[in-house]
Amino acid sequence: MSGTTHDRLDAHGHTHGHKHDDHYHTWVAPSEIEARVRAFESLLVEKNITTHDAIDTLVATFENDLGPMHGARVVAKAWVDPAYRARLNQDGTAAIAELGYRGLQTEHVKALFDTETDHHMWVCTLCSCFPWTLLGIPPVWFKSAPYRAKVVSHPRDVLRDFGYDLPADVKVHVWDTSAEQRYLVVPLRPADTDDLTEEQLAGLVTRDCMIGTGKPLSRAEWEASR
């Protein structure tokens, strides 16, 4: 893999994915899934259980109202507010709820704090448990069996696949998420950002860095994306 996927947030809180080559994406067969979804949707509409408009509204909610812009707010606040960071470390679910994010797989969240010597990643090895409210719909590669297997056995190789080469002296911790325990990585704050506001800092936070497969945008990358 020559790169990763960054989700940039615009002024309205919408995400704009910047995709690069993604081997994990090619290991699944979304066409079969899409066909099943269309057939199921048609059946529900035919039986008057729902309508196409209702389904479109639900999809729009997941695309626009749930997503990494929320997780980014949590991370940015932890970067600038030591008291909030302490509460997030002690009880992630409660601290996240302070910002209004609850339910939809946002319960039982533990924050994982990167340091100069420790890097955290998380994966759902059995299915695809994902904190939708904080990160939106899980990416296709996150749900693929090859990725889930490789990140557990060779996490550094996965990071390199995403263009993220950690120093050898940094220890990598891989956490297995489930319905009873979900995670959110709080990455290291990028250098040269002391003058940025909390809202501006949230613009540096990518979905992938909150999973642990990427890192926040640098100041230069952030400024170039505006």
Side-chain angles (χ1 to χ4, degrees), residues 102-152:
R102 301 176 178 84
L104 285 175
Q105 298 199 32
T106 313
E107 58 280 286
H108 314 303
V109 176
K110 177 178 175 59
L112 306 169
F113 296 86
D114 283 351
T115 69
E116 296 292 345
T117 58
D118 294 272
H119 178 79
H120 299 279
M121 306 170 68
W122 53 270
V123 62
C124 188
T125 54
L126 296 179
C127 53
S128 58
C129 290
F130 205 75
W132 296 338
T133 302
L134 298 176
L135 298 184
I137 299 173
V140 173
W141 55 260
F142 182 86
K143 298 182 287 184
S144 72
Y147 165 78
R148 282 152 40 194
K150 186 176 181 180
V151 74
V152 173

Side-chain angles (χ1 to χ4, degrees), residues 139-166:
V140 173
W141 55 260
F142 182 86
K143 298 182 287 184
S144 72
Y147 165 78
R148 282 152 40 194
K150 186 176 181 180
V151 74
V152 173
S153 59
H154 298 88
R156 287 184 179 274
D157 290 345
V158 169
L159 288 172
R160 292 189 188 98
D161 288 343
F162 279 88
Y164 193 179
D165 198 1
L166 281 174

Side-chain angles (χ1 to χ4, degrees), residues 1-10 14-22 25 68 139 141 161-162 203-208 214-215 217 221-226:
M1 184 182 309
S2 61
T4 183
T5 300
H6 294 309
D7 282 342
R8 179 171 59 82
L9 312 182
D10 65 18
H14 300 156
T15 55
H16 300 270
H18 299 279
K19 281 192 175 180
H20 303 276
D21 292 342
D22 191 341
H25 182 82
W141 55 260
D161 288 343
F162 279 88
L204 277 63
V205 182
T206 68
R207 177 202 62 200
D208 290 5
K215 52 187 173 181
L217 299 180
E221 289 172 327
W222 172 72
E223 290 179 342
S225 70
R226 300 177 68 190

Side-chain angles (χ1 to χ4, degrees), residues 40-183:
F40 186 57
E41 177 180 336
S42 297
L43 182 62
L44 291 175
V45 172
E46 181 182 332
K47 292 183 176 295
N48 294 318
I49 295 175
T50 187
T51 66
H52 289 297
D53 286 343
I55 293 173
D56 288 344
T57 298
L58 181 62
V59 171
T61 297
F62 274 90
E63 290 181 339
N64 302 319
D65 299 331
L66 305 176
M69 75 286 285
H70 296 159
R73 279 194 62 205
V74 174
V75 171
K77 190 168 184 63
W79 280 345
V80 302
D81 187 339
Y84 181 78
R85 184 184 182 93
R87 294 196 299 277
L88 184 64
N89 185 40
Q90 182 176 13
D91 188 337
T93 303
I96 290 167
E98 291 180 25
L99 302 184
Y101 307 135
R102 301 176 178 84
L104 285 175
Q105 298 199 32
T106 313
E107 58 280 286
H108 314 303
V109 176
K110 177 178 175 59
L112 306 169
F113 296 86
D114 283 351
T115 69
E116 296 292 345
T117 58
D118 294 272
H119 178 79
H120 299 279
M121 306 170 68
W122 53 270
V123 62
C124 188
T125 54
L126 296 179
C127 53
S128 58
C129 290
F130 205 75
W132 296 338
T133 302
L134 298 176
L135 298 184
I137 299 173
V140 173
W141 55 260
F142 182 86
K143 298 182 287 184
S144 72
Y147 165 78
R148 282 152 40 194
K150 186 176 181 180
V151 74
V152 173
S153 59
H154 298 88
R156 287 184 179 274
D157 290 345
V158 169
L159 288 172
R160 292 189 188 98
D161 288 343
F162 279 88
Y164 193 179
D165 198 1
L166 281 174
D169 59 346
V170 176
K171 186 175 181 180
V172 179
H173 307 266
V174 179
W175 302 75
D176 193 358
T177 188
S178 69
E180 290 74 35
Q181 184 66 74
R182 296 181 177 87
Y183 300 100

